Every structure is written in C-alpha cells, then in structure tokens.
Amino acid sequence: MEEATHDTTEVQPRRGWKRFSVYAESLLAVIFLAYVQHNTNLIEGDRPRYTLMLIGTCYAVWRGGRGPGVFALVTSIVISDWVLTDPMFSFSALGFGDALGLTLLLVVGTFIIVLGDAQRRDRNRALRREKELTVVNDQLATAQAALAEALARRASELSELKRFVAEEDLVPAPKKPPSNPPMF
C-alpha cells in the first residue's frame, strides 16, 4: 500500500544565504518602518514616535524566530535613536521622553520576541506531532487492510470447510450389522 504524502509547513533549519535572508528582510523592514514613522512624526508631531518600529520585530519573529527578532529589535532601537530622536542623525544624550519611548520599545519588543518564539515552537511541535500521527494513521490503515484480508481469507476457508462437512453429511455412512449383545 502506498504511503500518503502530506504537505506540512514545518519550518526547516535554513542554510547559506537563506539563513541570512531573514536578517536582511528584517533590516529592510525596519528601515522602511523608520522612514514611515519619521514621516508620520512630521505630520502628527511626537505622539506616535516609535509605535511602527514594533512591526519590524513582529515580522522578524514570525519569519525567522528569536534570532532575527532580537536583531530587528536592536536595529529598531538604534535606527530610532539615529533617525527619530532630536537632534536627528546623531547618537546624542536622550531626553526623558525619548529614553522612556525607547525603553518601552525594548520592553514591548522583548515580549513580542518571547511570545512569538513560544508560539513558533508550539506550532513546530504541533506540526511534528501531526506528521507522526499521519505516519501512525497510515500504518494503522495498512494493518487494518491486512487484517481485513486475513479475515476474508479465513471466512473463505471456513465456508469451504462448512461445504466439505455438508457434503460428507449427505453421503450416508455404511451401516454396520448389529452386533449380538452378550447374554448373561
């Protein structure tokens, strides 16, 4: 019996360029988000200063796990300090509001990384279990088919045996002459 193949989307370990492409994607996402956040800050003032930067961390954790998530968070903080704080394009001493905003970015980003990585591990574990259950289900189906075949074979043998016994019963057995009972 053929084994059924099932498509699972379990995340496989990356090698070579593919391993680093997640980091490159994360970096590009953070740079794009910093650009959008900077333009948003120009329009709305300082109110939503670092909000969009968390999207880069979310994307990186979703796409690659803990490593790219930490990379995206650190990159977000550095780029936010470089581009979104006054004076722009310098790592100068931060004011209280900027320091608080970057600290909140760090704290919320850390929670995103921890929870996202836990969800990713749970998903991978569930996919592995699903794959194992699929294999066991296929083995069970094979065993069930073999059992059904053996049962059909035994039923055939039993009906053949019944037919043989029925044919034997149709032929009368030769009669023995009665033996004389002993007299006492």
Side-chain angles (χ1 to χ4, degrees), residues 32-45 48-49 52 83-84 88:
F32 174 74
L33 290 167
Y35 173 76
V36 171
Q37 185 71 58
H38 174 68
N39 289 331
T40 303
N41 289 349
L42 291 177
I43 295 170
E44 293 190 14
R49 184 165 287 219
L52 290 179
V83 176
L84 301 176
M88 220 166 119

Side-chain angles (χ1 to χ4, degrees), residues 34 59 66 99 113 130:
Y59 173 77
R66 185 181 334 143
I113 291 168
E130 179 184 8

Side-chain angles (χ1 to χ4, degrees), residues 71-82:
F71 174 75
L73 179 61
V74 169
T75 306
S76 293
I77 291 171
V78 169
I79 289 177
S80 293
D81 186 25
W82 179 258

Side-chain angles (χ1 to χ4, degrees), residues 99-140:
L100 181 63
L102 289 175
T103 303
L104 288 174
L105 178 65
L106 176 66
V107 169
V108 172
T110 301
F111 278 115
I112 289 171
I113 291 168
V114 168
L115 296 176
D117 190 53
Q119 185 273 336
R120 185 179 174 87
R121 280 185 280 123
D122 288 345
R123 179 177 180 268
N124 285 341
R125 188 178 316 121
L127 288 173
R128 277 193 307 274
R129 287 183 181 160
E130 179 184 8
K131 197 177 223 181
E132 291 169 1
L133 286 174
T134 300
V135 169
V136 169
N137 189 31
D138 291 344
Q139 291 172 347
L140 183 60

Side-chain angles (χ1 to χ4, degrees), residues 17-63:
W17 168 247
K18 288 185 178 185
R19 181 178 180 190
F20 295 105
S21 68
V22 176
Y23 290 91
E25 290 173 18
S26 300
L27 179 62
L28 290 174
V30 167
I31 290 171
F32 174 74
L33 290 167
Y35 173 76
V36 171
Q37 185 71 58
H38 174 68
N39 289 331
T40 303
N41 289 349
L42 291 177
I43 295 170
E44 293 190 14
D46 288 346
R47 284 178 281 158
R49 184 165 287 219
Y50 307 111
T51 310
L52 290 179
M53 300 308 289
L54 291 168
I55 295 173
T57 303
C58 290
Y59 173 77
V61 170
W62 171 77
R63 184 82 168 87

